[in-house]
Amino acid sequence: MERRVTLKSQSQIERMVVAGRLVADVLDRVGQEIRPGVTPLELDALAEEMIRAAGGVPSFIGVPGRKAPYRHSLCVSLDSEVVHGVPDRRRIRDGQLVSVDAGAIVAGWHGDAARTWIVGQVPAEVRQLVETTREAMYAGIDAAQPGAHIADISAAIEDLARAEGYGVVRSFVGHGIGTEMHEEPQVWNFRTGQRGRRLEAGLCLAIEPMFTLGGHEVDVAHDGWTVVTRDGSLAAHWENTIAVTADGPRILTERPAPVEQVSVA
Ligand code: MG
């Protein structure tokens, strides 16, 4: 597949916002359903219904794989599964980590985002893994300033993982995004020794750290999709699609926080 770097105009970014907010709504809704007993396939059906009802198309369906094209609207990765977990009929249990990745195309433009949920009670170190991975995503986003480079995003993300001793998955990284789900440039979650592309207004990126409680090595399961930690350690994954603007990074896959009103009655 040919991959390219594209810069988006203001009006094109607004079209990506439409796709991005649909993805945000899907993840919000899926998150409400995550509880013991629910299955990844049920979450996937809900996501597909929402995306299509909004006039969108699930980004992931039809993506070519090692064995067969992907058939689902979500990736649901449990515990030591890092990314690309194929929705199935396993019932989610108390104490699990559930990482959900969603992608939608609306009028030709993609949004792509992921979040990790904690089901019930987990040890403090597991909660810390999830929270730190989320913080690393935001640190990477904060580093996506015009004039900076891809390596600045990478360093910001890696620094948080290093501080906690986490593994940083290297085989899968963030990416440019637009009319294709995966465009150039790659957005590494670790220092590579390269500065990477200079960031300029109109560059849209999916920033998506994947941290583990163990090592960085991963394998792809027999289904040809599910990426698991080689050492069986738990993993977390957070992702947002952003646009670099002259004013700094703009997150496209979250709805703006509501205006707060202080009651004075
Ligand atoms: Mg992505």
Side-chain angles (χ1 to χ4, degrees), residues 162-242:
R162 280 197 181 179
E164 299 289 341
Y166 297 149
V168 179
V169 172
R170 305 174 70 89
S171 305
F172 297 86
V173 297
H175 49 92
I177 181 169
T179 55
E180 303 286 339
M181 181 165 62
H182 293 127
E183 300 183 356
E184 290 294 330
Q186 294 196 8
V187 184
W188 312 295
N189 294 316
F190 48 90
R191 290 172 175 82
T192 63
Q194 304 171 63
R195 289 178 87 187
R197 189 183 170 85
R198 187 172 177 275
L199 307 181
E200 56 190 310
L203 188 64
C204 293
L205 302 171
I207 295 177
E208 50 176 324
M210 300 156 220
F211 293 170
T212 84
L213 280 180
H216 69 85
E217 298 94 344
V218 295
D219 294 304
V220 176
H222 291 299
D223 61 19
W225 284 107
T226 310
V227 175
V228 298
T229 56
R230 185 165 295 169
D231 58 13
S233 60
L234 296 174
H237 176 216
W238 284 82
E239 175 181 27
N240 268 326
T241 296
I242 67 135

